Structure formats: structure tokens, C-alpha cells
Amino acid sequence: MAGTDHQNDLAFGRGSWVRGITWTGLIFLYFPIIVLIIYSFNDSRFTSHWGGFSLRWYEIMWKDTALWSAIRNTLIIAVANTVLSTFLGTLAALALSRYRYRFSGLYHKTLHMPIIIPDIVQAVSLLMLFVFFNFTLGLFSIILAHASFSISFVALVVMARLAGFDHRLEEAAMDLGANRWQVFLKVILPNIFPGILAGALLAFTLSIDDFVITFFTSGVGSTTLPLKIYSMIKFGITPEINAISTMLVLFSIIAVSGIHLFERKT
Amino acid sequence: MFAGVRERDASSRSDLLKIRESQALLFPPYFFLVVFFVLPVLIILSLSFSHNRDFSLGLTLENYIRILDPLYFKVLLRSILYAVIATLTALLIGFPMAYFISFVSPKWKMIFMFLILVPFWTNFLVRIFAWLTILGRQGLLNSFLIWTGIITEPLHLLHSGSAVVVGLVYGELPFMILPIIAALDRMDISLLEAATDLGASRFHVFRRIVVPLSIPGIIAGAIFVFIPALGSFVVPDILGGRDSFMIGNTIKNQFMTVRDWSFGSALSMVLMVAVLIGVSAYLKQGKEQSLGMGEYL
């Protein structure tokens, strides 16, 4: 979230067209979300009529044990994926930005690939990998699958942070007698920590939101929240989805506010 | 393979330490990427040349030839068409939004950024599902139109190409706006002032300075919209119908329903190559632009 002051006396970006499209675009972005929220309080099963205000869908959601086990699975996967991909992604970022290898170009390209290639292609190729090695599909296969794309995102975020790192700090620490490990812990790590944290947050979010790759690499008993939502959409829509959706929108509002407050502090 | 450490000043012992460190840092993540990214792609590459369900290295082009069958080729062309329309529409809406947001006061900018980021972080399935509520047969739009008396019978809005394109634009719009804002924020305002002082018209300043300087953002945004749109499976699956399915649906069917893994692999390879060609063409146009996602998130 860049916050540079771009105000000008020339009134650029103030035309009525630009203003009009912006507000129309915002309405376009928010109208469906607001509809979901409103209908989550509708007592009637149908969108076509309003049956009065009610919290019954939230009550049904609260008592939906399948939903809670899906949430539990989602969180287990997200935490494991975050730990694994933050560790590996940070290593990759440190390696590529600190050292030049004979195949550096190739390593950079390989790192970008999982971001560029459509998720459905990654999903089916991971499925084939697991089938090929007779690997049982479940929580563990989903974690490995999520890490295979999260590593790249973490590495790129950390690398962006490392690009602004002043190498003279490191040399100064060495001159003052610190060994390489101390330099890493006391100089490099504190400097790139915000980047690592941002990468970890991204890995966590990508994991929680992922549907396509999870859909192809999940097995019996490893239903995640997006899979549960998908099956509710496909096989029997009830306004319970509206209630779940409202909670998810609420969580993203909290998350965005949290990130903003965190950025202000650092 | 790991030779050529950058700094070669210190003693040979320290050099050796650096080489060790460089290897220790590189090995774990790349071992993981090779096993869980490169190898899987190689598996579907080899599957795409073999007979159905056969992991042995066969050599047949039948799967690729089958894609030329109008039945599938039409789906491929349709996917490209939808992705292009969705990208252009997102640009048409996203550019003015980014332009506006980039120039408002810091306080308002914070509010607008918040409004763009909330949908960005909200679950994709949920956001697409919302359109089902709006466009459905008994959805909000039909109910409203019947209530006003404009129509008497509900319209078939869902399961159409337009519903899919609306869903794609809706899902990916924040990915277009954010990189353009990032590019416009990097722009030096004094350039605009200087040009105006020298007598350039507003349109001229916009065309000759603002647009060229926002090209990197436009390219990044177009890539972030085009790739997921082209390979989309969720949007046509939920909002589309038989006549608006995309290649993602065909791939999913080959792997989950028909279980013709070889044909599904061939389709995946074609999709992957199409995306790589598209991206490299874009990147060449933008010269030295890397896909630095980091700063946009």
C-alpha cells in the first residue's frame, strides 16, 4: 500500500469520466458482496422474497459440524504450509539475492513458473505425481501441493525486501568482529523480517483461499473450507452459504485493517 | 555448478565457507521445487505423448491431434476469447479507477486502497457465488425486473458466456487495479507540471506521459488477469453452461470424470504453452519488466 502524496494543482485524475467510472467500479465490486450480507439475514430460503430478519442461518452454520471440521483442516494445512514455505522461500530468496550461481537465470525462472502457470495445470500435474508414486491423498498431499506454489510467492516478497538491503551494514558488522551466523541473526534477519512476515501472511492466505489445487489433491476426510463451500454451491444451495460468506468477508476486512495497522507501525 | 561466488576478496577459507553457504541455501528450496513442481510437469508432459493412463514413455501425437477436433478446439478458442475480453474490460474499468485513486489525497487514498484490498483478500469462490444470487432464475435481477414489470418471465442470465465474462472481470479486477496504482505512484508529478508549463494540453500530457509511464503496471495487471482467466475452471463451472465452458472445465472432466489422463495432460500442456507464449510476448513489449509481484501485495 503505497501512500505517497500525489496531489497536484493541475487536477489530474479529477475528470468526471474518471470519477464516474471509479464509483461505478466500486459499486460493481461491492454490490454482490452486500447482497450476500443482506441475504444472510433473510429468514426465507429464497432470494426472490424477503422473509424478515433472522439469524437462523448463522445458527445453522454454528451447529454445522462438517463445516467446523473443514475449517479445522483448512487451518492445519495453512499453518503447516506457512511454516514450510516461509522457511524454504526465505532460503531461496537469500540464495538468489546474495549469490550468483552458474545457472542463476534458470533458478530465477524456475521460481517464477509456479506463479505464471495456471493453477489447474499445477493441480492436475500434482495429482499425477501423487498417483504415480501411490501417495495417499489427504492433508499431507495438500500441504505439499500448497507449498509448491507458496514458496515462490514468499521468495519474491522477501527478495523485494532484500533488494533494498545495504550490504555495507554486513561488512561493517564483519569488520567489528561478528561471525557469519551473528551477521545473519543480528543484521540481515531483522532487516528482512517484515518481508518474511509479509511472505508468511501471503502463504497463509493463499492456502486458506485455494480451491483448484486443493480440489485435485485432497482425499477422503481432508475437506477444506473452500471445498465445502464449493460442494454447497454445486449440490444444494442454502442461505447458510450467505452466512459463511459474510463471515469470510468480515475476516478479510479484519485482515486488511490488521495489515494496514502493521504497516503503519513498521 | 555452484561456482562463481560474487565476492572474491577474502581468504580461500572464507571463500569456501561462502560456497558452502550458497549451496546450503539453494539446495532445500530447489530440491522441493524440482520434486513438487518440475517433476509433476514432466510427468504430464510424458503422459501427453502416451496412450491413456500409461505412465510408460509412449510416443504418440494422438492426444494433441484430438485437440484439433472442432469439439475441443472450439472450447480452446472460446477460452482465449473470454480471457481477452475479460482482460480488456478489466483494463477499461481498472485504469480509470487506478488513475483516480492515485491522485486523491492521502486520507482518501487509504480508504480507496482499503476498498480495493477487501475484495482482493476475500475468498474467490464466495465472490463468484454472489453472482449466482444475482443472476439466477429466481435471483435478484430477475425478481427486480419482474417486480418493475419490465419482464414477465425470468430471463436466462446464468449459464451464458456473458455471465462467465462478468464473473472473470469481477474476480480479477483488483489484480488489474493494484499494479497500475503502483506504477502511477512511481510517476514523478513534476513531469506533468513541467509539460503543462511548457504548454502541453491535458490530453497531450495524459497521452505522452501518464500512459507511457503506466505501461509496466498495465502489463503486469494484464498478465495477472489474463492467466487466471484463461485457465479458469471455477467461474465457468459455477456461472457457465454447456455452451460457455472453458478449457479448464475440459481438463477437469478429463481427469475427474472421463479419466483420460493422457488427453487431459495434452490439454494442460497446450494451456501452459499458450500462457507462456502470451506472457513472454507481453514481457518483451515491456522490455525489462520483471514480474515483481512483491511490491503489489
Side-chain angles (χ1 to χ4, degrees):
Chain A
M1 276 205 254
T4 43
D5 189 357
H6 247 55
Q7 279 177 293
N8 59 91
D9 308 327
L10 306 166
F12 277 103
R14 295 291 158 75
S16 50
W17 269 92
V18 175
R19 194 182 290 264
I21 294 177
T22 303
W23 287 108
T24 314
L26 284 173
I27 292 168
F28 173 64
L29 277 178
Y30 277 88
F31 180 66
I33 294 177
I34 290 166
V35 167
L36 279 184
I37 296 174
I38 292 173
Y39 278 97
S40 73
F41 297 108
N42 183 8
D43 196 49
S44 161
R45 279 187 74 91
F46 306 103
T47 350
S48 44
H49 99 278
W50 179 257
F53 180 88
S54 148
L55 289 176
R56 70 185 261 222
W57 304 113
Y58 287 91
E59 203 186 322
I60 288 171
M61 178 182 83
W62 189 253
K63 288 178 181 159
D64 187 343
T65 47
L67 177 72
W68 287 103
S69 95
I71 291 173
R72 207 198 63 203
N73 285 340
T74 308
L75 290 176
I76 292 171
I77 292 163
V79 169
N81 169 57
T82 305
V83 172
L84 185 62
S85 58
T86 305
F87 175 69
L88 292 176
T90 305
L91 287 190
L94 285 168
L96 293 189
S97 46
R98 290 171 61 78
Y99 296 100
R100 186 143 302 145
Y101 302 92
R102 190 170 298 164
F103 299 110
S104 273
L106 181 67
Y107 296 148
H108 272 279
K109 284 205 176 81
T110 312
L111 203 58
H112 278 95
M113 279 298 171
I115 295 176
I116 295 172
I117 287 175
D119 48 7
I120 185 129
V121 176
Q122 279 181 74
V124 297
S125 61
L126 280 160
L127 172 67
M128 287 299 103
L129 176 84
F130 293 136
V131 169
F132 187 73
F133 288 106
N134 265 321
F135 195 96
T136 314
L137 297 178
L139 290 183
F140 198 53
S141 62
I142 301 175
I143 292 165
L144 293 170
H146 282 195
S148 76
F149 64 84
S150 303
I151 287 175
S152 300
F153 285 94
V154 173
L156 291 190
V157 172
V158 176
M159 271 202 291
R161 183 81 198 183
L162 272 166
F165 179 73
D166 188 351
H167 282 281
R168 283 173 303 181
L169 286 175
E170 207 177 317
E171 284 158 25
M174 294 279 250
D175 285 347
L176 293 169
N179 64 34
R180 301 190 68 78
W181 184 239
Q182 285 173 319
V183 170
F184 177 72
L185 278 185
K186 299 259 161 88
V187 180
I188 303 173
L189 194 61
N191 257 287
I192 61 170
F193 191 68
I196 296 177
L197 212 58
L201 185 72
L202 189 60
F204 189 80
T205 317
L206 287 170
S207 181
I208 283 187
D209 274 350
D210 179 71
F211 167 70
V212 177
I213 289 171
T214 315
F215 183 66
F216 283 87
T217 52
S218 68
V220 185
S222 59
T223 300
T224 64
L225 184 59
L227 293 191
K228 166 87 177 148
I229 294 172
Y230 178 75
S231 72
M232 287 172 97
I233 293 173
K234 293 301 275 189
F235 315 105
I237 297 172
T238 76
E240 188 191 348
I241 310 179
N242 294 334
I244 298 171
S245 305
T246 305
M247 297 315 288
L248 287 175
V249 172
L250 193 68
F251 279 124
S252 27
I253 291 173
I254 294 169
V256 174
S257 315
I259 295 166
H260 178 72
L261 288 176
F262 171 76
E263 275 188 346
R264 259 192 161 176
K265 267 191 174 172
T266 48
Chain B
M1 160 173 202
F2 298 111
V5 173
R6 190 165 46 201
E7 305 115 296
R8 281 223 189 78
D9 39 34
S11 66
S12 62
R13 198 183 100 78
S14 145
D15 259 359
L16 196 69
L17 267 177
K18 279 183 180 169
I19 293 174
R20 284 240 182 91
E21 188 185 297
S22 71
Q23 293 171 350
L25 288 173
L26 191 73
F27 185 73
Y30 278 90
F31 177 76
F32 192 91
L33 281 177
V34 165
V35 174
F36 293 103
F37 181 73
V38 179
L39 183 61
V41 171
L42 291 179
I43 289 176
I44 59 164
L45 177 67
S46 96
L47 261 176
S48 73
F49 288 109
S50 72
H51 297 287
N52 185 25
R53 276 196 147 208
D54 191 356
F55 280 117
S56 63
L57 263 175
L59 255 184
T60 168
L61 285 173
E62 64 183 44
N63 299 305
Y64 287 96
I65 292 166
R66 215 174 129 198
I67 297 175
L68 298 176
D69 182 326
L71 183 69
Y72 300 108
F73 201 67
K74 223 169 67 186
V75 178
L76 186 65
L77 290 181
R78 183 193 296 144
S79 308
I80 296 171
L81 181 72
Y82 285 1
V84 169
I85 296 174
T87 308
L88 291 178
T89 314
L91 180 64
L92 235 53
I93 306 172
F95 187 88
M97 288 180 81
Y99 187 56
F100 181 80
I101 293 169
S102 173
F103 283 111
V104 294
S105 72
K107 196 189 102 201
W108 273 101
K109 188 165 181 174
M110 211 178 75
I111 296 169
F112 279 118
M113 286 304 280
F114 181 84
L115 290 175
I116 303 296
L117 283 169
V118 167
F120 182 83
W121 287 92
T122 301
N123 187 286
F124 192 80
L125 273 175
V126 159
R127 299 175 58 220
I128 298 306
F129 164 71
W131 284 96
L132 212 56
T133 315
I134 296 170
L135 301 178
R137 204 177 145 72
Q138 299 192 322
L140 206 63
L141 198 59
N142 269 326
S143 307
F144 177 75
L145 291 176
I146 290 172
W147 180 74
T148 54
I150 294 172
I151 54 169
T152 48
E153 283 293 301
L155 300 169
H156 291 282
L157 301 163
L158 266 185
H159 313 304
S160 67
S162 0
V164 173
V165 171
V166 167
L168 290 174
V169 173
Y170 183 71
E172 313 296 347
L173 186 58
F175 291 89
M176 178 65 87
I177 301 173
L178 292 173
I180 300 179
I181 292 180
L184 287 172
D185 277 350
R186 281 195 296 265
M187 183 171 66
D188 189 352
I189 292 295
S190 53
L191 284 175
L192 308 184
E193 286 161 355
T196 314
D197 286 348
L198 293 170
S201 70
R202 294 175 58 81
F203 176 73
H204 233 71
V205 174
F206 180 78
R207 236 205 57 163
R208 306 296 290 270
I209 300 176
V210 177
V211 171
L213 285 176
S214 59
I215 289 284
I218 293 177
I219 290 173
I223 288 174
F224 295 151
V225 174
F226 183 75
I227 295 174
L230 185 65
S232 187
F233 140 65
V234 171
V235 177
D237 189 67
I238 294 176
L239 301 178
R242 228 173 275 284
D243 297 324
S244 46
F245 279 156
M246 296 171 72
I247 188 164
N249 304 87
T250 317
I251 293 174
K252 183 229 160 194
N253 284 339
Q254 293 305 318
F255 279 95
M256 303 302 250
T257 320
V258 188
R259 299 210 163 238
D260 188 342
W261 295 342
S262 294
F263 184 51
S265 298
L267 286 167
S268 307
M269 292 313 295
V270 167
L271 174 59
M272 194 172 97
V273 170
V275 162
L276 290 180
I277 290 173
V279 170
S280 61
Y282 267 130
L283 290 183
K284 264 190 204 123
Q285 234 177 17
K287 282 168 194 131
E288 292 291 299
Q289 281 307 312
S290 79
L291 269 174
M293 282 278 291
E295 56 184 305
Y296 303 129
L297 295 165

